[in-house]
Amino acid sequence: MTFSIAARDGDAWGVAVASKFLAVGSIVPRVGLHGPAVATQAMARVAYLDELEAAVAAGTPVTEALAAAVAGDEGREHRQVGLVAPDGAASYTGSECLHWAGGRSGQDGDTAYAVQGNILVGPRVVEAMESAWHEGAGLPLDHRLLGVLLAGDTEGGDARGRQSAALLVRCPGAGYDGCGVVADLRVDDHDDAPRELARLHSLSTLFFGTPEDVQPLEGSLRGEVTWLLTALGHAPVDDDVAGALEAWAGEANLENRMTPDGVDARVLETLRETAGTSRTAG
């Protein structure tokens, strides 16, 4: 009833998951700041999360950790688990998981992944997810995992339909205030949960991302920004365009993207869109 990927890329660890199940993000994923990344699903045994995290922390190799956890579980044939640890990745699918069920895992240097799913429309879902993982090399892990999840959904995903999805990614020193949370997003009940998750992720990267494609506030761009801010009731005082932009950005929750070097591309895009909406409404 669920398809997921647990993965590592360098210092970043994460899980992305979707299912025809309420609030799948409250059950399936576990991501430690320094690993591991775990996904427990099918007839999910939540205790696997603590057991596997403790085993990896104790230095148990990934395959041994997963095998030991599964061996001690009487319901193992109904379970599915993906585990990514510092030494690699492994995926387990019990023999009594509802068809179609299966998984794949792999490692390449300091990247590793475990993809798994059950009650899927067919093996092409997992195959598409694995391909998307390789094709996404070089992307930030949160973007890469979201791409993998959407690839699985595009191939049909959960045979019963869509309901919930989640994305959890951690990396030391990253995220809001350097707390290590790159993304912690959940869609608990939505008829197109994977794409709603993508929409939330776009907002998250807008509000909590760092400046990119910065242009200096000079020439025609300075004039445009002045005009846009004025249209939104933030006319610069004493030609302090940067100050007016910062005041507007604070109201729009874009303060993380402010830079003394000019204006961030997504701030500029949002400013243009907001001023356009304001003119239309007026």
Side-chain angles (χ1 to χ4, degrees):
M1 60 184 177
T2 304
F3 55 101
S4 69
I5 176 170
R8 174 196 182 195
D9 190 345
D11 292 333
W13 302 77
V15 172
V17 57
S19 181
K20 181 67 169 68
F21 186 88
L22 180 69
V24 70
S26 68
I27 295 174
V28 169
R30 171 70 61 84
V31 179
L33 185 58
H34 301 280
V38 187
T40 178
Q41 55 198 53
M43 297 294 289
R45 182 171 184 268
V46 178
Y48 278 155
L49 300 175
D50 288 337
E51 292 170 0
L52 291 171
E53 186 173 41
V56 170
T60 306
V62 62
T63 53
E64 292 181 21
L66 186 55
V70 169
D73 174 21
E74 293 184 357
R76 58 186 172 274
E77 298 306 334
H78 299 277
R79 319 283 196 202
Q80 197 168 46
V81 193
L83 172 64
V84 176
D87 66 320
S91 181
Y92 167 81
T93 298
S95 63
E96 296 182 32
C97 284
L98 295 179
H99 193 71
W100 186 88
R104 296 187 177 194
S105 62
Q107 181 181 15
D108 182 12
D110 63 353
T111 70
Y113 67 92
V115 173
Q116 46 280 318
N118 60 91
I119 317 185
L120 303 183
V121 297
R124 67 180 186 269
V125 176
V126 166
E127 292 166 2
M129 293 173 72
E130 184 178 46
S131 293
W133 168 258
H134 293 302
E135 291 166 4
L139 292 174
L141 185 59
D142 54 325
H143 292 264
R144 193 173 183 182
L145 293 184
L146 183 60
V148 170
L149 198 69
L150 292 176
D153 180 72
T154 298
E155 284 297 326
D158 191 320
R160 301 166 308 155
R162 304 176 177 93
Q163 186 171 5
S164 64
L167 176 66
L168 178 59
V169 178
R170 300 184 188 277
C171 183
Y176 184 81
D177 198 31
C179 66
V181 178
V182 177
D184 187 357
L185 302 169
R186 282 174 43 181
V187 177
D188 287 345
D189 188 20
H190 193 283
D191 59 7
D192 196 359
R195 278 156 186 79
E196 176 64 6
L197 182 67
R199 186 187 71 85
L200 294 179
H201 179 256
S202 179
L203 289 176
S204 177
T205 57
L206 171 63
F207 294 135
F208 305 123
T210 55
E212 56 188 75
D213 298 328
V214 176
Q215 301 180 61
L217 276 171
E218 300 172 350
S220 60
L221 180 59
R222 183 182 184 88
E224 180 190 6
V225 170
T226 298
W227 185 83
L228 293 170
L229 289 169
T230 301
L232 292 172
H234 284 274
V237 176
D238 297 329
D239 199 34
D240 184 7
V241 181
L245 179 62
E246 184 172 358
W248 171 81
E251 291 184 5
N253 291 323
L254 294 171
E255 58 271 17
N256 284 335
R257 286 187 170 273
M258 296 307 295
T259 168
D261 298 325
V263 58
D264 162 83
R266 295 198 67 180
V267 169
L268 181 59
E269 177 186 7
T270 304
L271 180 61
R272 287 168 172 163
E273 291 176 351
T274 305
T277 301
S278 177
R279 290 197 302 275
T280 301

